[in-house]
Amino acid sequence: MDTLLILILTLAKILAIAVPLILAVAFYTLWERKIIGWMHVRHGPMHVGKGILQPFADVIKLLCKELVLPSNASPFLYRLAPVLALAPAFAAWAVIPFEHGVVLSNANAGLLYLLAMTSMGVYGIILAGWASNSKYAFLGALRSAAQVVSYEIAMGFALVGVLAAAGSLNITEIVEAQRGDAGFFEWFWLPLLPLFVIYFISGVAETNRAPFDVAEGESEIVAGFHVEYSGATFALFFLAEYANMILISFLSALLFLGGWLSPFQGWGLGGLSESGPWWLFAKAFVFAFLFLWFRATFPRYRYDQIMRLGWKVFIPITIVWILVVAFMAHARWFEIGV
């Protein structure tokens, strides 16, 4: 009976995370279209429920479309690819804390789990390009594989700096290590500023978003790795991409900007000094907006520029700054073990 109760509670917690995440993805797409529309001096969606119901209309349209299987594709792998892309994007949320104690799994090695989950998504992309038996899809998959591997290293090194500063791999403990009377000056963004910037930009590249979207370059390779996908299978790729964007936004806020901690903690400003999950959502909201801002303003990088930025700029900077953080930790700059 106890096992059944634990199972029911765990499923309830999973649904409490997954359902709001799916709704967040739906409205994130609407917000993207509105933001880019305003930046282009146009209205964006404004007809289906005055624009608010447009994401649901898109979902219904995709689910009602025919699932076209290319004649020379591998049927099993073709259908497996979108599942492999979506599953890690949702599984990574298991270790994301929304407040102290409000987390599905408070794993001690939460950062390692996150690195594993975010790295697995590329297998779905590679499999989609190969199983489609299309030159355009395969070229997009190869580009994506090289890009993700390149920037995964820089992201990993940035996280090494975080765990050196916090003295823990547990994400809740990393956030609590940023608590202090100096408010946002206690957060890791200040001593780890180069790693903070590199982590977020690498997150943009990791999710294949503009200006790092050569894997999906519509003007070059006709939508890239998912060019042969339609209907519900395309919707799964779409859902995985936006879920990963929201995940990177939350991780940037948790690891470098104090998560649910108030920027005015210890300042005696009443309600503004109180920490809570609303601060985490506000910070993640800002990072999620930056994804859209980048798409509307920056031109796409060439493939060689993306590789040069990842290997010759980001990785050397992160290696040097890890050494700097090590000296700072040795000098007790951070309150290790808080």
Side-chain angles (χ1 to χ4, degrees):
M1 185 63 184
D2 291 339
T3 304
L4 180 60
L5 182 60
I6 292 173
L7 179 61
I8 293 173
L9 288 175
T10 303
L11 289 175
K13 291 178 181 178
I14 292 173
L15 289 175
I17 295 174
V19 174
L21 178 59
I22 294 172
L23 291 175
V25 167
F27 286 105
Y28 194 19
T29 60
L30 171 63
W31 186 37
E32 177 179 30
R33 295 170 71 177
K34 296 295 283 188
I35 289 291
I36 294 177
W38 294 333
M39 288 185 174
H40 292 171
V41 197
R42 52 187 175 83
H43 295 292
M46 54 182 297
H47 294 295
V48 183
K50 296 186 177 180
I52 297 175
L53 301 179
Q54 185 65 48
F56 301 100
D58 293 337
V59 169
I60 294 171
K61 178 192 71 174
L62 286 172
L63 294 180
C64 292
K65 278 188 172 182
E66 180 185 0
L67 296 178
V68 179
L69 178 67
S71 57
N72 294 322
S74 174
F76 175 72
L77 297 179
Y78 177 85
R79 295 186 176 95
L80 179 64
V83 177
L84 285 180
L86 181 65
F90 274 68
W93 285 87
V95 295
I96 300 297
F98 299 97
E99 197 178 9
H100 190 87
V102 183
V103 58
L104 180 60
S105 174
N106 193 28
N108 288 330
L111 275 186
L112 290 179
Y113 174 82
L114 277 171
L115 279 174
M117 287 298 105
T118 53
S119 300
M120 284 181 62
V122 70
Y123 291 109
I125 294 173
I126 295 173
L127 204 59
W130 185 83
S132 298
N133 200 22
S134 164
K135 293 182 176 64
Y136 291 114
F138 190 57
L139 179 59
L142 290 177
R143 284 182 172 185
S144 180
Q147 178 174 317
V148 170
V149 168
S150 301
Y151 285 88
E152 190 73 31
I153 300 172
M155 290 183 75
F157 282 159
L159 294 183
V160 170
V162 172
L163 69 90
S168 175
L169 284 166
N170 183 285
I171 300 177
T172 300
E173 293 180 6
I174 290 173
V175 174
E176 291 300 324
Q178 301 174 67
R179 186 182 294 276
D181 293 334
F184 60 87
F185 293 110
E186 298 277 357
W187 298 346
F188 288 158
W189 70 272
L190 188 57
L192 307 182
L193 184 59
L195 300 183
F196 171 42
V197 174
I198 287 173
Y199 180 83
F200 183 68
I201 296 176
S202 298
V204 176
E206 190 86 356
T207 52
N208 293 320
R209 290 288 299 182
F212 303 97
D213 59 339
V214 291
E216 305 173 11
E218 290 88 352
S219 58
E220 307 166 27
I221 48 177
V222 203
F225 58 89
H226 50 55
V227 64
E228 300 292 347
Y229 283 86
S230 62
T233 51
F234 174 78
L236 293 181
F237 278 116
F238 201 74
L239 183 59
E241 178 179 324
Y242 281 81
N244 279 321
M245 290 163 60
I246 298 173
L247 176 67
I248 295 295
S249 301
F250 271 85
L251 284 175
S252 300
L254 287 165
L255 301 176
F256 297 96
L257 290 186
W260 55 82
L261 301 178
S262 168
F264 312 108
Q265 53 182 330
W267 290 18
L269 297 178
L272 286 176
S273 298
E274 294 181 6
S275 300
W278 51 87
W279 287 115
L280 173 59
F281 283 92
K283 296 166 188 175
F285 184 88
V286 173
F287 286 116
F289 171 74
L290 291 178
F291 275 95
L292 313 184
W293 193 0
F294 293 163
R295 178 182 175 184
T297 53
F298 288 105
R300 181 182 299 133
Y301 278 109
R302 290 198 318 266
Y303 182 72
D304 62 305
Q305 292 173 327
I306 290 177
M307 291 296 105
R308 183 169 64 248
L309 181 66
W311 288 99
K312 294 186 177 180
V313 179
F314 281 2
I315 293 177
I317 290 176
T318 52
I319 292 174
V320 170
W321 209 257
I322 286 173
L323 297 176
V324 173
V325 173
F327 282 113
M328 295 169 72
H330 181 70
R332 309 298 295 178
W333 181 288
F334 310 103
E335 294 183 7
I336 299 178
V338 173

